[in-house]
Amino acid sequence: MTEANEQLGDFLRSRRERLTPERLGLQVLRRRRTPGLRREEVASAAGISGEWYVKLEQGRAVAPSPATIDALAKALLLDDVDHAHLKSLARPSHRRSFVRETVPDPVKRLVNSLEHPAYVTGQRWDVLAWNKAASSMLANFEELAMEDRNILLYVLTDPRAKTLFGERWDAEAMRMVALFRSTYDLWAEDPAFTDLISRLRLGCSRFDAWWSTHEIGSAVSGTKTVHHPTRGPLRYEYVTFQANDDPRLKLAAFIPC
């Protein structure tokens, strides 16, 4: 069993347990002791053998075809985001070991030229570049050790983040965990990612409960209200962009509204 196979199995299991027989039009004659569909019901709906589906959920070294993945997505009533993630999990992975990204100088100059908060993260959500406004709003990243400059670590484990997001902290933290999960599943065997998860578990008592749901988020623009320690409540629109120089880099920018 590889970690990648395990993530695929865990994802399938989480989606199976969310469904009820009634949603698939199945007749239930007696009360069930466990929630969700049975494995054989998913297999039947997808047109595959129960034994094959059990192997998938158990994370054994099997390679489902694209047609099988599409059939499973239909059987599990996956939305477009979950369907795309299932496809990614099923693709063979030939990744090298993770290497922390570097930010090209033109991108750094762009970030520093912006008046409002902006920062650049890599695939592991390490904060790689930021401007003064981001330091003022979030944390003084320049004062942190390099291994601590990570937006997930900040939001989930730093008391300043809870103050910053106030009553919306839970929702913001859960949203970020779901966004990160879509990347983590593809790097699940890499020590840099497993170490980050260990630190999040130690630093955030709520993390395990959120992580176990295997939610998958998609990046969208939106609005946030933050509670600045000296300026009070501030409302921002936030947007993210990928860098053409290196698609692994993501620029997050905040605009007052």
Side-chain angles (χ1 to χ4, degrees), residues 98-103 108 111 119-130 141 146 149-151 246 248-250:
F98 174 77
V99 176
R100 190 182 181 97
E101 303 88 349
T102 57
V103 181
K108 288 182 181 178
V111 172
Y119 58 85
V120 177
T121 54
Q123 286 185 296
R124 208 182 74 120
W125 290 34
D126 298 308
V127 182
L128 305 170
W130 59 92
F141 293 113
M146 182 177 290
R149 295 174 190 166
N150 182 283
I151 201 66
D246 185 346
R248 298 174 301 170
L249 302 178
K250 182 174 68 177

Side-chain angles (χ1 to χ4, degrees), residues 217-235:
S218 59
V220 293
S221 301
T223 59
K224 294 182 184 182
T225 298
V226 298
H227 301 273
H228 194 276
T230 59
R231 297 166 60 193
L234 302 172
R235 187 170 175 81

Side-chain angles (χ1 to χ4, degrees), residues 42 91 98:
V42 175
R91 284 197 291 266
F98 174 77

Side-chain angles (χ1 to χ4, degrees), residues 81-137:
V81 172
D82 279 358
H83 190 177
H85 188 64
L86 182 61
K87 287 181 178 179
S88 296
L89 288 175
R91 284 197 291 266
S93 177
H94 304 290
R95 295 182 183 274
R96 299 178 179 177
S97 296
F98 174 77
V99 176
R100 190 182 181 97
E101 303 88 349
T102 57
V103 181
D105 287 339
V107 177
K108 288 182 181 178
R109 287 193 289 271
L110 169 64
V111 172
N112 286 325
S113 73
L114 297 176
E115 176 185 359
H116 303 300
Y119 58 85
V120 177
T121 54
Q123 286 185 296
R124 208 182 74 120
W125 290 34
D126 298 308
V127 182
L128 305 170
W130 59 92
N131 62 11
K132 291 181 179 179
S135 280
S136 174
M137 184 180 79

